Amino acid sequence: MLIFNHSSFLTFTLMGIPGLESQHLWLSLPFSSMFLAILIGNGAILFLEAIESTLHSPMYLLLALLMVADLISTLALLPKLLCLFLFNDRDIAANACFTQMFFIHGTSVVRSALLVAMAFDRFVAVCEPLRYNTILSHSLVGRLGLLALAKGVILILPMPLLLQRLTFCQMVIPHTYCDHMAVVKMACGHTRPNRIYGLFVILLVVGLDLLLIGFSYGLILQSVVRLNSRDATCKALNTCSAHFFVILVTYVPALFSSLTHRIGHNIPPHAHVLLANLYLLLPSVLNPIIYGIKMKEIRHKVAKCLCRGSA
């Protein structure tokens, strides 16, 4: 068995989607379409928020931060993936691999933290509407954004640092990107700290963030039940609907991918890899669509821009 040390000077090889290597060229079409959709959709909403002063409220500022996180995650993943599919460019230096891992997993943590902040925003909007602008000032939104960024950096930075101490027996990663556990499995020797830390991050991020989001929505539902007017109830629920759909789009594919990776032993490897890609890309594709449909202000601004362009 060959043992490779000094991970900084190593070059890994990305297999792509195991079992579907012959279909990579065809698979590049849906992934290219998703890439364009993410760039156009998220870019359009960020542009609208930049030029329209009415979209500078705390909710839209948090949405802008979420869109930025989606774009960074996409740019960390898809260019290399498309090079692999289109040009069979499989090699990736270890440092580049660890950097890609940091940005992909780091933006996932930031995205989750921002969804918690947005749940708090919805709680204040429904339960304390008269104090909304007082509580959710722009400075608080900035602090929440910095907190989300710090959480992503602090939790994910140890992953590549712990990997650099390992020696590797295999260099071919059966994946489309440098997933943490996929790279850990390439190492020989004692990888228990890496596995434990990876599980700790998943439990902390998904478990704690979902608990906080659930707590916020529990308080929201408690407040909605007390409303006497049906119209007020519908308005309150509609206020939260876009954020609720985004939570489903973000966490359901992630949890499904994580469960199949750990207990779905009969599921073929290509299904695991496809699910891992979808849980990263699906929220970035659907978030602009969900907010574009559900948020009246964005719909009106898009219609206004289209009418201005056709005039």
Side-chain angles (χ1 to χ4, degrees), residues 58-80:
M59 177 181 65
Y60 288 109
L61 292 176
L62 288 170
L63 176 60
L65 294 175
L66 184 67
M67 299 288 177
V68 170
D70 285 344
L71 284 173
I72 293 172
S73 176
T74 300
L75 292 171
L77 170 65
L78 278 178
K80 181 59 184 178

Side-chain angles (χ1 to χ4, degrees), residues 108 111 115 177 206 210 244-262 271-287 290:
S108 295
R111 181 191 290 161
L115 288 177
Y177 64 90
V206 177
L210 278 178
F244 182 73
F245 282 126
V246 168
I247 290 169
L248 291 179
V249 165
T250 301
Y251 286 110
V252 170
L255 289 172
F256 189 67
S257 175
S258 180
L259 285 173
T260 56
H261 188 71
R262 283 165 174 79
H272 287 298
V273 174
L274 284 170
L275 279 171
N277 282 276
L278 283 177
Y279 101 76
L280 288 173
L281 295 172
L282 206 58
S284 303
V285 173
L286 294 179
N287 286 352
I290 292 169

